[in-house]
Amino acid sequence: RFRDGREERLDFRFPVEPALADLSGTELSGVPFTMVTQHLSMRRLGRVWLDARAALFAEPADLRRAGDALERAAGYAALLPRFHPHHHADQQEEFGRLAGGFQADLSGLRAGVTATEVAPARRDFLQLEAQSCTRCHVKYRWNVLEDLRRFAAR
């Protein structure tokens, strides 16, 4: 939203790992945690996140497939507290809070997806994507927003 009241909508795109059927979400947990591991785990988290999105927003929704993908996403999310942001390296604590919030919200989303109500699961998915994924990307990935308080939280 611009100061003159105009609004512009943008599609955010995230780099993801190519589709791989054998992504478990846990295969990186035992390897030495390097910057390469960090990047690879984020790309794979993006891949399984898109898998969950595709299953959840299909008509009809495939809640079992969405739940499986979110289960794998939780494996990659478990690595987030070990991440070291390239930008804002002095804000490791804040990044850790964001990562912890994402993990907690993802746990709630996974529970919601196991229910039979599709509309609330879709709403929660989009909310989590905006409040965690996009918030983190605008600060730590793209380095375009220093103060996340300007990015409205729930």
Side-chain angles (χ1 to χ4, degrees), residues 10-30:
L10 300 173
D11 261 344
F12 285 109
R13 304 276 184 216
F14 306 109
V16 298
E17 186 76 11
L20 296 172
D22 61 349
L23 292 181
S24 67
T26 58
E27 75 278 2
L28 296 173
S29 61

Side-chain angles (χ1 to χ4, degrees), residues 55-110:
L56 192 56
F57 288 90
E59 290 297 343
D62 186 341
L63 294 178
R64 185 198 55 76
R65 199 175 100 215
D68 289 348
L70 291 173
E71 182 72 31
R72 290 180 288 148
Y76 297 114
L79 297 173
L80 291 175
R82 297 171 60 191
F83 276 38
H84 298 281
H86 297 302
H87 302 289
H88 313 285
D90 59 329
Q91 296 174 19
Q92 185 72 37
E93 208 173 296
E94 180 188 23
F95 182 83
R97 280 193 302 275
L98 283 173
F102 175 69
Q103 286 180 286
D105 291 344
L106 180 57
S107 178
L109 176 61
R110 287 167 50 212

